[in-house]
Amino acid sequence: LNNDTIVNPTTLRALVDAASVHPRAGMFGSKIHCRDRPDTIWFAGGFVQWHGLHGSHHRGMGEIDRGQYDRVEEVEYITGCSLLVRVATLRDIGPMSEDYFLYWEDVDWCTRARLAGWQCLYVPQSTLVHKVTPTERQPEIKRRYEMRNRLLGLAAHLDQDIVHLAQAGFGHAQQVLGVADVAQGDLQAFAAGQHFGGDGVASGVVA
């Protein structure tokens, strides 16, 4: 649970209830609204575009909540802003990777869970409000880590795609990733089989 959220008495209970009736699910997430616009959705389930623009997508973000996402359903990832994980799932796949630090760590964790056979469930009966975070007021930090961690996630789950992307050329990578200031050295490092360390510097070799 993020420290910039406001929960209500049923936020956790609804997630626990869902876990009790969906044994194949390992991760459970809430419907999240914006603090300044409580009738506006911030998250109603997450989906990942692994090809093309390579991005993660918060379904419903910016939409007025009219009940259009009020059904429990399987999604591709749950935002770490409000996420309940089953103990058996945690034992199976391990904790979140510390390589990400900020952004995409939840996408990676849920992807690992799904690859291990667990479902990720969006539970709209669990609701909370998300406040504005400091990184949203510092777009350069947000942009850097989103780009960095998007590449890191692709390297973890689509190794060949990111190698081909880097080999296709820097300009093409800018266009495909949709990031104007993507670092050329970062892409070259991935093409060489390296990955990012915790400080954002390419190091080590992907097995």
Side-chain angles (χ1 to χ4, degrees):
L1 183 69
N2 275 22
N3 62 359
D4 58 351
T5 57
I6 301 174
V7 300
N8 59 63
T10 62
T11 301
L12 178 59
R13 182 74 262 168
L15 297 177
V16 173
D17 288 346
S20 69
V21 297
H22 295 280
R24 293 181 56 215
M27 301 206 175
F28 308 82
S30 310
K31 178 196 283 186
I32 305 175
H33 296 94
C34 302
R35 180 194 63 175
D36 296 333
R37 294 169 293 161
D39 62 342
T40 302
I41 297 170
W42 184 78
F43 180 84
F47 294 89
V48 184
Q49 185 175 1
W50 291 108
H51 300 280
L53 292 177
H54 300 291
S56 59
H57 170 63
H58 283 205
R59 183 179 60 174
M61 178 179 278
E63 296 181 21
I64 300 298
D65 189 354
R66 297 186 174 90
Q68 65 270 44
Y69 304 115
D70 277 358
R71 181 168 60 92
V72 175
E73 58 186 302
E74 185 176 1
V75 294
E76 291 185 331
Y77 76 92
I78 300 297
T79 175
C81 182
S82 175
L83 185 157
L84 177 72
V85 58
R86 194 183 294 277
V87 171
T89 307
L90 182 60
R91 289 173 177 163
D92 191 12
I93 68 172
M96 277 188 181
S97 171
E98 295 184 2
D99 290 341
Y100 292 86
F101 175 66
L102 183 69
Y103 300 120
W104 268 72
E105 71 279 6
D106 44 13
V107 176
D108 171 77
W109 205 26
C110 290
T111 301
R112 286 158 47 201
R114 294 174 62 236
L115 289 172
W118 296 98
Q119 295 177 333
C120 297
L121 281 192
Y122 161 69
V123 184
Q125 293 76 23
S126 171
T127 62
L128 68 152
V129 172
H130 183 215
K131 297 189 286 187
V132 175
T133 63
T135 55
E136 290 174 342
R137 295 193 295 268
Q138 301 179 55
E140 69 284 356
I141 294 177
K142 184 175 187 291
R143 184 168 57 249
R144 169 175 172 75
Y145 278 100
E146 280 188 338
M147 180 274 289
R148 168 195 181 273
N149 292 350
R150 190 186 309 179
L151 292 175
L152 185 59
L154 291 171
H157 302 293
L158 287 177
D159 298 75
Q160 291 305 310
D161 274 15
I162 193 63
V163 169
H164 294 159
L165 179 64
Q167 291 175 341
F170 179 52
H172 178 66
Q174 286 179 313
Q175 179 181 6
V176 173
L177 287 174
V179 180
D181 59 351
V182 61
Q184 185 171 11
D186 291 343
L187 290 169
Q188 291 171 339
F190 272 100
Q194 296 177 314
H195 67 89
F196 287 108
D199 57 359
V201 178
S203 61
V205 178
V206 176

